[in-house]
């Protein structure tokens, strides 16, 4: 029996044929791909096979059944694609395997159905000029000209525009009026950022899973998230492990692994495993809600250029009206009738229409803020969006911005007749009781290798020098070169290696046992992998890049050389960074990038303050003008470059997503 059998299959849309006399037979075990340009009928064939469409003529069988309930148990349709808003609104994963898993659970969902001219629809119904143009423009023309093809067709048919009388009933409310065009959607995905927030959550109540509206989730509630589902609120993982797609918040497509103790955010998508989480932030406190609020606040503010446009419009509009009035008066004085004069006056108004002047700037700001949010960049005000594009100098904090902010073991140099394992074991035994960041770096490294610490006694901290302890009969010491060199005889070659590591900005730690040198372990706050490339991009844009740090000169210069900055300013205390930025502002507009509480004052003082939002402090994000939602410095060039680019208004806003009339309602009848 064939999986799929088509005989003289034909499907038309109006006067156009999507499929004409298709003969097709697919045997079990074959892998078949449908290839063809847009409009060739690929999707139509798939929908016919699943009973989503009815053929105009011919036959189609699926495993011996006519497309219907019986056939869908064997072969089904997985909606997907980057532009399938309806699938996205139902939280159907774009990963076919995850979408199939969701379908196999056979969990039905309630869905509102709209009625348009006595025909039912579940996603969108549209009417008017846009709809007509979308169906009348030939596919080969669209393939060549893209969205410009719609514009050409619209201009050609301007003289045929006419209003449509529409009456819309929804939830007891009635809308009645005349419209040139419009779209009615049964999906929240058109609403931009707000589409990301799931509408329901599965919480554990008395040990039973209960689906509740997301508004009813309270802090401390335990909720579960299965593969393919969106996380409803911010929380902490209690059980399970998974890869979570956080692109909605950070713009980063690579999934992030989550384990017990890790945090998860609302609107991110669980991709692989089962998660049980405790709600930590709900409602308006979630990360998503804060992002939406920031974007809304930015859209509500006026950039300096927008204020200029408003002032010009305030003069231009009255002037144009006055000219139109003078034009009418002149023609009347010349003896023309009122209709003739009125037509000339209206022509002046149409030709000089100031609408673009007043609308272009705020629309560009809105689009820029929205695109930034989708890429993990939050411009808190419209002024920040404009000012970022004028930056001439970028000042970078070192720790947590250029570097990871977390010291790591970089080199292990054992002494003669000592193995790396022996050196690392002695260091682990000695450092296990220390709370110093350098000690924690050694502990993390050893634990990653599966090593365990032995019990020690007589543990002593020597401030500014190092540590001592006893492990059985062995007396262990560890610390700086000066401290250990004064207690044991250290080979000159090993000391030179330690000095070389120090020149590279690393901290060499020496360890000994029973007054015998075991070796050197170097620890450093390593540079983020993406930092050098990000700095190269900034310099390639003609910007001067300066690194500010409180570290010593030698370490700072070593890090600066690795990162590729133009200038290093070391030994700067937190309260001194502000004065440094003030001096830099004498040479141009300065963007300061930081992440810590100590960076908040200088972020506020800079022309543009940029906070690293991934691990950044709340104080830094509050003081900043721009927030990078990840800890990746690679987003910074995009934040500075984006305001300089012309926003794709025609493509992204006017023709893809919005029309002058949109009604977004839950349940409605047209």
């Amino acid at each position: 029996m064939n999986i799929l059998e088509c005989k003289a299959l034909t499907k038309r849309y109006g006067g156009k044929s999507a499929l004409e006399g298709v003969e097709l037979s697919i045997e079990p075990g074959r892998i078949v791909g449908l290839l063809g340009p847009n409009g060739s009928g690929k999707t139509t064939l798939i929908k016919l096979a699943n009973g989503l469409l009815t053929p105009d003529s011919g036959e189609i069988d699926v495993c011996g059944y006519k497309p219907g309930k019986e056939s869908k148990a064997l072969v089904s349709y997985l909606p997907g694609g980057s532009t399938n808003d309806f699938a996205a609104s139902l939280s159907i994963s774009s990963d076919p395997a995850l979408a199939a898993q969701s379908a196999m659970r056979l969990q039905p969902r309630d869905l509102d159905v709209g009625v348009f001219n006595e025909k039912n629809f579940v996603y969108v119904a549209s009417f008017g000029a846009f709809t007509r143009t979308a169906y009348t423009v030939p596919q080969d023309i669209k393939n060549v000209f893209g969205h410009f093809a719609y514009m050409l067709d619209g201009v050609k048919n301007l003289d045929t525009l006419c209003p449509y009388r529409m009456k819309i009933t929804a939830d007891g409310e009635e809308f009645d009026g005349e419209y040139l065009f419009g779209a009615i959607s049964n999906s929240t995905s058109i609403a931009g950022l707000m589409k990301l927030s799931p509408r329901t959550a599965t919480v554990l109540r008395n040990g039973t899973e209960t689906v509740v509206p997301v508004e009813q989730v309270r802090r401390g509630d335990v909720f579960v998230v299965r593969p393919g589902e969106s996380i409803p609120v911010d929380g902490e993982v209690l059980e399970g492990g998974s890869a979570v797609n956080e692109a909605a918040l950070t713009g980063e497509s690579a999934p992030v692994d989550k384990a017990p103790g890790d945090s998860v955010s609302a609107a991110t998508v669980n991709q692989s495993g089962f998660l049980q989480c405790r709600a930590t932030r709900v409602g308006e406190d979630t990360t998503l809600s804060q992002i939406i609020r920031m974007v809304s606040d930015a859209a509500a503010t006026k950039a300096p250029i927008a204020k200029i446009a408003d002032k010009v419009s305030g003069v231009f509009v009255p002037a144009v009206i006055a000219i139109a009035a003078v034009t009418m008066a002149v023609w009347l004085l010349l003896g023309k009738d009122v209709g003739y004069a009125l037509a000339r006056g209206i022509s002046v108004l149409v030709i000089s229409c100031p609408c673009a002047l007043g609308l272009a700037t705020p629309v560009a700001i809105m689009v820029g803020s929205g695109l930034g949010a989708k890429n993990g960049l939050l411009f808190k005000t419209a002024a920040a969006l404009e000012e970022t594009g004028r930056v001439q100098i970028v000042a970078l904090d070192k720790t947590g911005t250029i570097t990871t902010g977390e010291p790591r073991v970089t080199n292990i140099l054992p002494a003669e007749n000592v193995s790396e394992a022996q050196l690392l074991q002695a260091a682990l035994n000695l450092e296990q009781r220390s709370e110093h960041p350098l000690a924690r770096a050694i502990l993390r490294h050893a634990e990653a290798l599966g090593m365990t610490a032995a019990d020690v006694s007589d543990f002593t901290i020597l401030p500014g020098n190092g540590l001592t302890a006893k492990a059985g009969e062995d007396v262990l010491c560890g610390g700086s070169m000066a401290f250990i060199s004064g207690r044991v005889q250290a080979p000159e070659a090993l000391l030179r290696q330690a000095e070389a590591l120090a020149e590279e900005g690393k901290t060499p730690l020496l360890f000994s046992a029973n007054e015998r040198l075991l070796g050197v372990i170097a620890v450093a706050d390593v540079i983020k992998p993406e930092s050098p490339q990000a700095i190269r991009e900034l310099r390639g844009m003609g910007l001067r890049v300066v690194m500010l740090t409180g570290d010593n000169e030698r370490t700072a210069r070593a890090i600066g050389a690795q990162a590729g900055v133009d200038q290093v300013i070391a030994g700067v205390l937190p309260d001194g960074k502000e004065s440094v930025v003030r001096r830099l502002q004498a040479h141009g507009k300065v963007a300061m990038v930081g992440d810590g509480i100590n960076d908040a004052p200088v972020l506020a003082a800079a022309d543009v303050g940029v906070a690293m939002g991934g691990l950044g402090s709340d104080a830094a994000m509050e003081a900043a003008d721009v927030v990078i939602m990840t800890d990746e410095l690679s987003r910074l060039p995009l934040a500075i470059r984006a305001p300089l680019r012309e926003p794709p208004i025609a493509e992204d806003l006017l023709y893809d997503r919005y029309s002058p009339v949109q009604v977004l309602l839950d349940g409605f009848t047209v």
Side-chain angles (χ1 to χ4, degrees), residues 252-547:
E252 179 57 56
S253 58
V256 180
D257 292 330
K258 300 293 182 180
D262 292 337
S263 60
V264 292
S265 299
T268 57
V269 180
N270 179 20
Q271 291 195 323
S272 57
F274 178 89
L275 293 177
Q276 187 178 108
C277 313
R278 178 183 290 109
T280 55
R281 293 193 292 183
V282 300
E284 297 298 317
D285 295 330
T286 64
T287 303
L288 176 64
S289 296
Q290 292 174 4
I291 291 174
I292 293 173
R293 187 164 56 251
M294 284 186 189
V295 174
S296 299
D297 292 344
T301 60
K302 284 187 179 289
I305 193 169
K307 295 177 181 178
I308 294 172
D310 289 345
K311 290 180 180 179
V312 173
S313 296
V315 177
F316 188 69
V317 172
V320 170
I321 294 173
I323 294 171
V326 171
T327 301
M328 291 175 60
V330 169
W331 283 112
L332 288 171
L333 291 173
L334 292 175
K336 299 294 184 180
D337 59 52
V338 175
Y340 186 93
L342 183 61
R344 270 59 190 168
I346 292 175
S347 297
V348 172
L349 292 175
V350 172
I351 294 170
S352 308
C353 179
C355 295
L357 184 64
L359 293 176
T361 302
V363 169
I365 291 169
M366 181 182 68
V367 173
S369 299
L371 291 176
K374 289 183 178 181
N375 287 280
L377 303 169
L378 296 181
F379 296 92
K380 295 171 69 174
T381 63
L385 183 67
E386 180 182 346
E387 202 70 12
T388 303
R390 297 175 176 174
V391 165
Q392 298 166 288
I393 302 171
V394 178
L396 303 173
D397 177 54
K398 179 182 77 72
T399 305
T401 302
I402 296 177
T403 66
T404 62
E406 188 176 79
R408 298 177 185 175
V409 172
T410 59
N411 304 84
I412 300 177
L413 306 176
E416 190 176 355
N417 298 323
V418 179
S419 67
E420 285 191 9
Q422 290 174 315
L423 171 59
L424 194 56
Q425 184 65 58
L428 173 62
N429 295 339
L430 181 61
E431 302 282 9
Q432 62 179 305
R433 295 187 181 182
S434 175
E435 295 296 325
H436 196 280
L438 301 182
R440 290 198 294 269
I442 294 175
L443 295 180
R444 283 193 300 269
H445 186 80
E447 290 170 359
L449 296 176
M451 303 176 69
T452 56
D455 291 334
V456 296
S457 59
D458 298 335
F459 177 80
T460 305
I461 299 176
L462 304 172
N465 291 304
L467 310 170
T468 63
K470 290 184 67 176
E473 298 299 320
D474 296 330
V475 179
L476 304 177
C477 293
S480 64
M481 283 192 294
F483 173 61
I484 301 298
S485 301
R487 300 174 69 95
V488 301
Q489 186 66 35
E492 286 295 326
L494 199 59
L495 290 178
R496 284 196 297 272
Q497 286 181 293
E499 287 284 354
L501 292 172
E503 290 292 335
E504 295 174 9
K506 302 173 182 178
T507 302
L509 301 174
L510 279 64
F511 295 90
S512 68
N514 301 322
E515 299 185 355
R516 175 192 173 211
L517 185 65
L518 298 177
V520 180
I521 296 178
V523 178
D525 182 9
V526 298
I527 290 180
K528 296 177 181 178
E530 72 277 3
S531 291
Q533 177 61 32
I535 291 171
R536 281 195 297 271
E537 290 184 27
L538 292 171
R539 296 181 66 188
M541 295 161 61
L543 304 177
R544 179 185 172 194
V545 184
V546 180
M547 186 183 80

Side-chain angles (χ1 to χ4, degrees), residues 482-631:
F483 173 61
I484 301 298
S485 301
R487 300 174 69 95
V488 301
Q489 186 66 35
E492 286 295 326
L494 199 59
L495 290 178
R496 284 196 297 272
Q497 286 181 293
E499 287 284 354
L501 292 172
E503 290 292 335
E504 295 174 9
K506 302 173 182 178
T507 302
L509 301 174
L510 279 64
F511 295 90
S512 68
N514 301 322
E515 299 185 355
R516 175 192 173 211
L517 185 65
L518 298 177
V520 180
I521 296 178
V523 178
D525 182 9
V526 298
I527 290 180
K528 296 177 181 178
E530 72 277 3
S531 291
Q533 177 61 32
I535 291 171
R536 281 195 297 271
E537 290 184 27
L538 292 171
R539 296 181 66 188
M541 295 161 61
L543 304 177
R544 179 185 172 194
V545 184
V546 180
M547 186 183 80
L548 304 182
T549 179
D551 277 352
N552 62 75
E553 187 80 15
R554 184 170 64 176
T555 300
R557 292 199 175 280
I559 297 293
Q562 294 177 46
V565 300
D566 294 302
Q567 182 181 358
V568 175
I569 302 177
V572 183
L573 298 176
D575 57 353
K577 290 183 179 180
E578 187 174 348
S579 62
V580 171
V581 167
R582 298 289 187 197
R583 290 199 303 271
L584 292 174
Q585 285 174 324
H587 303 281
K589 290 188 176 294
V590 178
M592 176 67 202
V593 187
D595 68 323
I597 295 176
N598 62 321
D599 295 323
V602 69
L603 291 175
D607 296 291
V608 178
V610 182
M612 308 294 285
L615 296 174
S617 67
D618 291 341
M621 288 187 282
E622 184 67 28
D625 304 296
V626 183
V627 178
I628 300 176
M629 293 303 296
T630 68
D631 289 310

